[in-house]
Amino acid sequence: MSQHMHAPGPWIARHEPDDGGEFAIQAANGIQVALTIWNTRSEAANALVIAAAPDMLAVLQELQESASYWSEYDVPLGIVDRINAAIAKATSLSA
C-alpha cells in the first residue's frame, strides 16, 4: 500500500459569480486542488464535499486511533472496518 500526501487543508470551495458554474477547490497554500463545473444544486454540493475531504480524513484518523478503547456494545457493528476502509480509500493509490 503506498501512501501519498494531499495538499494541506483546510480546502475551500471558491465560487466567483463571474465564473458561471465553476467552483475552484483551493488548499490552504493557495494551490488549486480541483475545478468543478455545476449546473444543479447537487453538483454544487459535490464541490463542498470535496473541499471538506481533508477535514473528514482527519476526523476518521482520530476515530481510528481511539477505536481500540471502544466497547463493541458502544458503537455500530462494523464501524471500525468501515473507518479503516474509508481511510485506505483516501490514502492509497491503486496500481
Side-chain angles (χ1 to χ4, degrees):
M1 177 185 317
S2 86
Q3 296 283 324
H4 65 280
M5 297 296 298
H6 57 74
W11 293 356
I12 56 170
R14 291 194 182 277
H15 176 258
E16 299 295 332
D18 295 340
D19 291 341
E22 294 181 355
F23 272 100
I25 312 302
Q26 291 183 323
N29 60 7
I31 292 175
Q32 183 170 306
V33 176
L35 180 66
T36 64
I37 309 299
W38 61 278
N39 296 313
T40 66
R41 290 179 71 80
S42 63
E43 290 169 340
N46 290 338
L48 300 177
V49 171
I50 293 168
D55 300 318
M56 291 187 286
L57 176 58
V59 168
L60 286 173
Q61 289 169 327
E62 287 179 40
L63 289 170
Q64 184 184 47
E65 289 174 13
S66 68
S68 62
Y69 301 105
W70 299 347
S71 163
E72 66 182 88
Y73 303 106
D74 293 336
V75 296
L77 184 64
I79 193 71
V80 173
D81 291 336
R82 295 195 313 266
I83 289 170
N84 292 337
I87 291 171
K89 188 175 184 178
T91 59
S92 300
L93 292 174
S94 299

